[in-house]
Amino acid sequence: VSTQSTGAAQSLIEKEFQALNELGRYYSHFETFVNPNDPCHSQPRILCNSKNSSIIGLNLSNLNLGGTISPLLGSFSDLEYLDLSFNSFSGPLPSFLWAIPSLKTLKLRRYGLQKGLGLSFQWDLSVLPIFPLVHLDLSDNSLTGEIPSEICSKHFPQLSILVLRNNQLSGELPVSLFSLFNLTSLDLSSNALEGQLIGLEWGRLSALEVLNLSNNKLSGGIPLELFSLPKLRVLNLASNHLGSHDNEFTDKPTVAPVPALDCPLLTRR
């Protein structure tokens, strides 16, 4: 490793530590967890890379943090894990969260999002068209509107866990969800989702282990295809309007197959 590259890496770490200290001053409840001299070995809320000491994990949950989400969080280019759950933040999700190039886990459960806000993504796809997220949790936030078609394999090719539980999401299940071939857990329970399960491309979700669609307004029959998913071990469809017809279980498709790549443009026919 050259002296120049080593110096650049050291400069980056110093900038991250400076940003961390500024973050502590910005959020006074977090400041007590930051040791300005050795932030990597002070608190379990801060996780650093063992090789170069860059910050790869921040747990700011349950700290009663308020105001807007600080743009300082966008200073950590190697950040892989960020948990802002159970706080009192205000305003929409800032665009810089989607521009963290290494972020794999983003937990925003009951983080204080303004009630009645639509679930929309203010991102610049020219900057970062593909997101490395593996785990996204936006549960318990009173989000409204439909599930965005941008949540698909084109933009989230590695997404494995998607939790949108206990919001106020409406509309039908977007067909773009069925391009997420790496999904192992999908929790859309306790919303106001409508439409039928029959005719959707459930067979594409062959990695799915957990599916929770309970407490919605889904209707019609239950597709037999669900019971053929090879890894599915938890299926919860309770408190819907399913099985209200003679064909409670059916495997007859009612929509055209879903294209694999053009997920943002997909519409239900």
Side-chain angles (χ1 to χ4, degrees):
V1 180
S2 67
T3 303
Q4 184 178 1
S5 61
T6 302
Q10 184 62 32
S11 177
L12 174 63
I13 301 308
E14 290 176 357
K15 289 181 179 179
E16 288 193 351
F17 286 179
Q18 181 180 357
L20 189 65
N21 290 325
E22 291 179 9
L23 190 66
R25 289 190 290 271
Y26 189 87
Y27 296 129
S28 58
H29 289 84
F30 180 61
E31 186 174 18
T32 57
F33 295 96
V34 180
N35 182 337
N37 299 316
D38 191 7
C40 287
H41 300 91
S42 55
Q43 292 292 337
R45 288 183 176 270
I46 303 168
L47 181 63
C48 295
N49 187 309
S50 59
K51 294 182 179 179
N52 62 11
S53 296
S54 64
I55 296 171
I56 59 174
L58 289 173
N59 181 358
L60 278 68
S61 64
N62 286 288
L63 289 177
N64 196 30
L65 304 180
T68 58
I69 296 178
S70 172
L72 289 167
L73 290 171
S75 304
F76 308 104
S77 58
D78 292 335
L79 195 66
E80 298 179 6
Y81 178 97
L82 178 60
D83 190 349
L84 301 175
S85 303
F86 299 102
N87 282 297
S88 301
F89 294 112
S90 59
L93 290 176
S95 58
F96 65 80
L97 281 182
W98 308 107
I100 300 175
S102 300
L103 194 61
K104 295 181 179 179
T105 297
L106 179 58
K107 295 184 177 182
L108 297 165
R109 181 182 180 188
R110 199 184 302 171
Y111 83 104
L113 186 66
Q114 178 183 343
K115 289 188 175 182
L117 199 66
L119 176 52
S120 62
F121 296 93
Q122 302 175 18
W123 52 34
D124 184 351
L125 296 179
S126 65
V127 176
L128 191 67
I130 299 177
F131 303 93
L133 279 177
V134 174
H135 185 163
L136 176 59
D137 187 345
L138 284 164
S139 56
D140 303 310
N141 281 305
S142 299
L143 294 167
T144 61
E146 299 183 352
I147 299 173
S149 61
E150 288 89 350
I151 302 181
C152 63
S153 62
K154 184 174 183 178
H155 302 305
F156 294 90
Q158 301 179 54
L159 194 62
S160 176
I161 300 173
L162 177 60
V163 186
L164 301 176
R165 176 184 60 246
N166 197 25
N167 283 292
Q168 299 172 15
L169 298 172
S170 57
E172 299 181 342
L173 295 180
V175 290
S176 52
L177 283 179
F178 297 87
S179 69
L180 296 171
F181 307 121
N182 290 315
L183 267 187
T184 60
S185 181
L186 177 61
D187 190 347
L188 305 177
S189 61
S190 300
N191 280 287
L193 298 171
E194 301 176 323
Q196 297 193 16
L197 302 181
I198 297 171
L200 296 172
E201 296 284 329
W202 294 104
R204 291 178 176 269
L205 304 182
S206 58
L208 199 62
E209 300 177 12
V210 177
L211 176 61
N212 190 348
L213 301 175
S214 62
N215 292 293
N216 279 289
K217 299 179 180 179
L218 300 168
S219 59
I222 301 172
L224 287 174
E225 199 172 11
L226 282 175
F227 303 97
S228 299
L229 294 175
K231 297 183 179 180
L232 192 66
R233 53 185 177 81
V234 176
L235 174 62
N236 191 347
L237 303 175
S239 299
N240 280 288
H241 306 294
L242 298 168
S244 57
H245 304 291
D246 292 337
N247 59 336
E248 178 174 354
F249 298 97
T250 180
D251 56 1
K252 296 180 180 179
T254 57
V255 297
V258 179
L261 297 178
D262 297 329
C263 40
L265 306 178
L266 294 180
T267 56
R268 184 186 294 264
R269 298 182 179 180

